[in-house]
Amino acid sequence: MAFLLGKAKLAYASGDVQVAGDLLERATGITIDLLDKLPGDRIASDQLMQAVFQSWEMDGILPAEQIMTRLPAYDIDSQQPRACQDFNLAVKQALMLGDIPKAAVLTAALLDRGYTEMSFMQFCREHNLCKGR
């Protein structure tokens, strides 16, 4: 799955929006099929979130309701001791759902923990979530 997501990102960056969209649609379908077989699988749920977010970044459109209801709930606040990857995906989900204040608070919590993973920092700058850092 990570391969399809990476390939979609490269296709989009090179201007091939159609191929990127097709790859993300394929990744989403495969992940949903996997979740049907393994309900609640954490890795598959996180990959679905990533695929949906990448698609949203490309076109600004949220997926159909039947996909949105399959997304994991990253109901965390900045004080909970959670993995940085949870915060990373929670920031993306909040941004995608239009909750900019929550995205900013979670970003600050991640940065305060010293989280500087390269793709997150790029994302953070692109979406103006890590001003002054």
Side-chain angles (χ1 to χ4, degrees):
M1 199 58 51
F3 172 76
L4 291 174
L5 296 178
K7 193 169 180 178
K9 189 174 275 196
L10 288 173
Y12 184 73
S14 67
D16 202 339
V17 177
Q18 181 64 45
V19 169
D22 291 347
L23 289 165
L24 289 171
E25 188 174 317
R26 184 173 169 208
T28 299
I30 291 169
T31 305
I32 287 174
D33 289 345
L34 181 59
L35 285 169
D36 286 343
K37 293 174 186 160
L38 301 169
D41 183 82
R42 181 61 184 259
I43 294 170
S45 294
D46 287 351
Q47 288 175 335
L48 179 62
M49 178 57 216
Q50 188 60 43
V52 167
F53 181 77
Q54 277 184 232
S55 182
W56 175 82
E57 269 194 314
M58 285 180 11
D59 61 22
I61 300 170
L62 290 174
E65 185 66 26
Q66 66 264 27
I67 295 174
M68 289 298 291
T69 59
R70 303 294 298 265
L71 294 178
Y74 297 102
D75 295 330
I76 58 178
D77 63 44
S78 61
Q79 303 305 310
Q80 288 180 307
R82 299 283 297 263
C84 289
Q85 182 63 16
D86 289 346
F87 273 87
N88 183 340
L89 292 171
V91 169
K92 291 176 179 177
Q93 190 174 62
L95 182 67
M96 183 177 72
L97 297 176
D99 192 345
I100 308 304
K102 181 177 180 177
V105 166
L106 293 171
T107 297
L110 259 178
L111 295 173
D112 288 347
R113 288 178 171 201
Y115 187 72
T116 58
E117 192 269 327
M118 188 172 65
S119 66
F120 179 77
M121 294 307 294
Q122 180 181 0
F123 156 83
C124 180
R125 289 182 189 103
E126 285 174 9
H127 294 282
N128 297 314
L129 293 170
C130 53
K131 298 172 190 159
R133 294 197 183 216

